[in-house]
């Protein structure tokens, strides 16, 4: 990767092994003149954009378009000056380049560990009238990902109101017949794959819930017609942020697609006093000419290795059992220890004590904020229980919901103003709880001290960090009236500060993010917590779609997936233990049920599942994922994991409903080495020896499957 600069043509060429991103300064405006498959650095890069000779703002592919000066499409930013006008005109002032990639203070970001992993370009723009400057930051990685963000600074004499601040904007010529790919859903049905044709006008996605949300993930991609897992062009954006976001694809009258992503401008205003700066979150851009699967693997490698951090980044994740669906709030120390004892016999490595261990928490209507052990349920305290679990050979994990407060709590009675609220107005409760105002340092200090006190005295190895409701009445009792529209973003900044402080002080603890499942499955949280509970819906059939959709952007090492009891507690469906296990093994594996209720035959089966996952855990969590069949397109789902050296693979195949007199199914594999010979084994033993080209081109025969909700797996090892 490199950055080539042609001073005479004012051209900046960001080049990786697979892609080129070319910016040209025209009449003082930085324009995107090319983004796509890699170009030679010595090629002629002039006149790449048709109609550019007109040099009209409304026809220019601007890198950071503005409002009010002739470009009538969606802008990347908007400000209001002291005189009430909203007119600025950012012009190119200068640039700088450097090896590596700088960090972003107070926000999560993709990082480098050596300067040869990325190169960085910064373009400085200035509005001469107001003194506002914007620094556009680009870093290009070897594998093709590009990170973008914008930093505003008020060098003028008057306060500026920042009304809109996206992180990235790209104008794509000749793509108006393309399609928009994104993930949508709701609670218990997250990450549902959506695809629609682009056409004149705009399609917007986003969240106004204070979190990235179940409804829309902060990801969007423009894909060529017919693009599939292996073929076609993909232009993707993903925001490293956990709060209100906005993504939009707009097609103008000339067929140019404007794709942008960043903070949601709805109800947002940031007061920028003279000398002050504002930094947008980072956007990660990925181009692939090897289809959607090629895009996914670029995101996966980058996020697995250079977004997730800490000692757990490269460690195999433990197989856990969570007591929630086993006991809900009704448990004793003896019951939890009994589950751990059974888990130890089955090879499970971690027990997580979920909700109900603190305050007087017998249901979800009280005690959030009172992070003190409940001695009625745990007479000898948390430390005693954790030590009992450890004597069974398991690590001990604990559930928290730190961002919330119950009106029925000692904390609320002492500090009723600590929640987000508008004075004199109703405080909207959801699940009988309110949201703590994390924009306030005293609230963050309280939470840090309460949790740190537990971590210092109890051998906690894992924390499930939950967040079960969106933000309402987004006002702060500690903020001035003119700063109230900053609170949604300040909440997220406060959250990041709190989590960073805890994970830095207690690096040995594996933190898992959760927001009623996947309500905050985003790159921002993965920077601090390397895995996320994907959905509260643990039904194996529903999980096929949820895990498939999530894997479009996020690596399997970040996807929490557990076996739960049947009938399933969310959809009341009954599926076999094997089917549930094969689905859950395609993620961070665990159990969400009462292990003591298993029959002897089931215990044998669980021991086999645990042993199999341990055997292939590194491959599943760190290998390249290839999606072979989509649950959104048919009755069958399949995916496979391939080691980096292509010497090892494991294939999973799922059939939802049985079919009468079915035809023989042949599954074409991917990601193997054409020249290798692979020994293939299945659940019944050795299947045969096959060349990689045979398996990828002619395919692997799937044995007949009997009944609904059935699955099969295959292991592959290179013979050499």
């Amino acid at each position: 990767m490199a950055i080539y600069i042609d001073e005479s043509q004012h051209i900046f060429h960001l080049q990786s092994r697979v892609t080129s991103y070319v910016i040209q300064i025209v009449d003082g405006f930085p324009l995107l003149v090319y983004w796509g498959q890699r170009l030679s650095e010595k090629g002629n890069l002039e006149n790449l954009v048709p109609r550019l000779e007109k040099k009209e703002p409304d026809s220019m592919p601007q890198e950071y378009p503005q409002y009010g000066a002739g470009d009538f499409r969606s802008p990347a930013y908007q400000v209001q000056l002291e005189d009430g006008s909203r007119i600025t005109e950012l012009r190119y002032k200068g640039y700088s380049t450097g090896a590596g990639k700088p960090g972003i203070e107070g926000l999560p970001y993709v990082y480098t560990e050596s300067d040869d992993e990325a190169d960085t370009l910064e373009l400085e723009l200035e509005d001469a009238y107001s003194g506002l400057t914007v620094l556009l930051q680009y870093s290009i990685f070897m594998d093709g990902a590009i990170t973008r963000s914008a930093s505003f600074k008020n060098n003028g004499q008057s306060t500026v109101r920042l009304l809109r601040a996206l992180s990235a904007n790209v104008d794509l010529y000749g793509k108006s017949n393309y399609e928009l790919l994104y993930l949508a859903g709701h609670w218990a049905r997250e990450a549902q794959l959506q695809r629609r044709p682009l056409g004149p006008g705009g399609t917007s996605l986003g969240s106004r819930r204070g979190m990235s949300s179940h409804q829309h993930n902060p990801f969007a991609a423009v894909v060529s017609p017919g693009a599939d897992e292996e073929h076609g062009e993909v232009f993707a954006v993903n925001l490293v942020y956990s709060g209100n976001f906005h993504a939009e694809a707009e097609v103008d009258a000339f067929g140019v697609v404007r794709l942008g992503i960043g903070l949601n401008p709805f109800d947002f205003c940031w007061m920028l006093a003279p000398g002050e700066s504002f930094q947008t979150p980072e956007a990660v851009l990925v181009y692939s000419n090897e289809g959607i699967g090629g895009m996914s693997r670029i995101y996966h490698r980058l996020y697995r290795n250079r977004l997730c951090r800490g000692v757990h980044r490269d460690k195999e994740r433990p197989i856990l059992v969570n007591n929630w669906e086993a006991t809900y709030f009704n448990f004793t120390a003896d019951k939890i220890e009994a589950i751990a004892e059974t888990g130890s016999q089955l090879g499970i490595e971690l027990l997580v004590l979920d909700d109900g261990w603190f305050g007087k928490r017998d249901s979800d209507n009280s005690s959030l904020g009172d992070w003190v052990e409940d001695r009625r349920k745990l007479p000898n305290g948390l430390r005693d229980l954790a030590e009992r679990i450890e004597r069974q050979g398991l690590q001990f994990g604990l559930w928290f919901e730190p961002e919330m407060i119950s009106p029925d709590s000692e904390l609320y009675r002492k500090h009723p103003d600590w929640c987000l609220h508008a004075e004199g107005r109703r405080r909207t409760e959801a699940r009988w709880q309110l949201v703590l105002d994390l924009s306030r340092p005293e609230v963050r200090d309280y939470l840090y001290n309460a949790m740190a006190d537990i971590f210092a005295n109890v051998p906690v190895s894992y924390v499930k960090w939950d967040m079960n409701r969106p933000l309402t009445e987004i006002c702060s009792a500690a903020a001035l009236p003119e700063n109230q529209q900053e609170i949604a973003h300040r909440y997220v900044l406060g959250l990041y500060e709190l989590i960073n402080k805890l994970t830095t002080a207690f690096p040995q603890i594996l933190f898992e993010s959760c927001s009623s499942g996947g309500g905050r499955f985003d790159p921002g949280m993965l920077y601090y917590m390397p895995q996320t509970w994907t959905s509260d819906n643990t039904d194996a059939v529903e999980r096929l779609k949820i895990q498939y959709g999530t894997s479009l952007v996020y690596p399997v090492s970040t996807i929490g997936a557990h076996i739960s009891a049947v009938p399933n507690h969310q959809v009341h469906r009954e599926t076999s233990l094997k089917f549930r296990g094969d689905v859950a093994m395609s993620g961070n594996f665990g159990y969400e049920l009462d292990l003591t209720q298993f029959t002897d035959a089931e215990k044998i089966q669980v021991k086999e599942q645990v042993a199999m996952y341990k055997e292939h855990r590194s491959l599943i969590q760190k290998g390249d994922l290839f999606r072979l069949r989509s649950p959104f397109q048919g009755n069958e789902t399949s995916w496979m994991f391939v080691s980096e050296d292509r010497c090892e693979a494991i294939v999973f195949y799922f059939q939802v409903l049985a079919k009468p007199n079915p035809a023989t199914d042949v599954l074409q594999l991917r990601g193997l080495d054409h020249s290798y010979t692979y020994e293939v084994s299945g659940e019944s033993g050795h299947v045969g020896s096959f060349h990689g080209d045979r398996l990828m081109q002619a395919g692997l025969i799937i044995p007949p499957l009997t009944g609904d909700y059935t699955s099969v797996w295959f292991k592959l090892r290179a013979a050499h």
Side-chain angles (χ1 to χ4, degrees), residues 451-694:
M451 296 179 74
D453 183 63
I454 292 172
F455 299 155
N457 293 285
V458 179
V460 175
S461 300
Y462 164 103
V463 165
K464 181 178 179 181
W465 183 298
D466 212 342
M467 189 250 198
N468 277 310
R469 59 153 292 176
L471 277 56
T472 56
E473 290 83 46
I474 305 178
C475 298
S476 173
L480 296 172
E482 60 266 28
N483 299 118
Q484 291 295 343
Q485 287 177 292
E486 301 174 0
I487 298 304
H489 183 54
R490 289 192 182 276
Y491 177 95
V492 178
L493 294 178
L495 170 67
Y496 288 156
E497 180 188 284
L498 173 61
I499 298 175
N500 190 63
K501 190 175 179 181
L502 283 166
T503 55
T504 301
F506 301 96
Q508 78 282 4
I509 297 177
L510 172 60
F511 282 79
E512 179 178 86
S513 170
C514 175
S515 181
S516 285
R520 203 162 56 185
F521 205 131
D522 59 64
M525 293 306 291
L526 292 180
Y527 180 77
Y528 304 98
M529 304 184 182
Q531 61 189 58
T532 299
W533 179 230
T534 318
S535 177
D536 284 344
N537 187 346
T538 52
D539 172 64
V541 175
E542 291 295 321
R543 271 302 188 106
L544 290 173
K545 290 184 176 180
I546 294 169
Q547 291 172 209
Y548 186 101
T550 302
S551 77
L552 242 65
V553 190
Y554 305 106
V556 167
S557 61
T558 68
I559 295 174
H562 297 169
I563 294 174
S564 62
V566 291
N568 176 265
H569 289 198
Q570 290 77 47
V571 301
H572 308 291
R573 191 187 341 256
E574 295 207 32
T575 55
S576 70
L577 183 56
K578 172 180 165 42
F579 187 80
R580 283 175 277 154
D582 287 351
V583 174
M585 275 193 271
S586 302
N588 286 322
F589 186 51
Y591 293 82
E592 193 101 5
L593 41 67
D594 188 348
L595 300 177
T596 66
Q597 298 300 308
F598 278 135
T599 65
D600 289 342
E602 287 172 329
K603 287 180 180 179
I604 293 172
Q605 192 172 358
V606 169
K607 288 184 72 172
E608 292 173 349
Q609 287 176 334
V610 169
M612 179 182 169
Y613 188 74
K614 288 179 178 179
E615 179 185 356
H616 298 284
R617 172 163 44 189
S618 180
L619 173 62
I620 291 171
Q621 294 182 355
K622 300 177 183 179
D624 283 336
L625 171 67
F626 292 84
R627 294 179 293 265
L628 308 179
R629 298 277 178 87
S630 171
F632 296 99
Q633 295 178 345
N635 188 53
E636 292 80 32
T637 301
S638 182
W639 46 61
M640 63 185 292
F641 304 92
V642 183
S643 63
E644 185 177 359
D645 62 8
R646 302 187 180 186
C647 288
E648 186 181 5
I650 186 167
V651 181
F652 291 93
Y653 179 95
F654 308 92
Q655 176 181 276
V656 175
L657 297 178
K659 294 180 288 188
N661 192 23
T664 300
D665 198 356
V666 179
L667 188 66
Q668 289 180 302
L669 307 187
R670 298 187 192 132
L672 305 176
D673 191 293
H674 286 267
S675 63
Y676 288 1
T677 297
Y678 292 91
E679 298 295 334
V680 181
S681 60
E683 298 172 47
S684 300
H686 188 256
V687 175
S689 300
F690 308 99
H691 276 89
D693 57 359
R694 144 64 199 263

Side-chain angles (χ1 to χ4, degrees), residues 272-291:
L272 208 56
E276 290 186 342
S277 298
F278 180 85
Q279 173 68 51
T280 72
E282 187 167 83
V284 182
L285 284 61
V286 167
Y287 168 79
S288 168
N289 65 346
E290 297 180 345

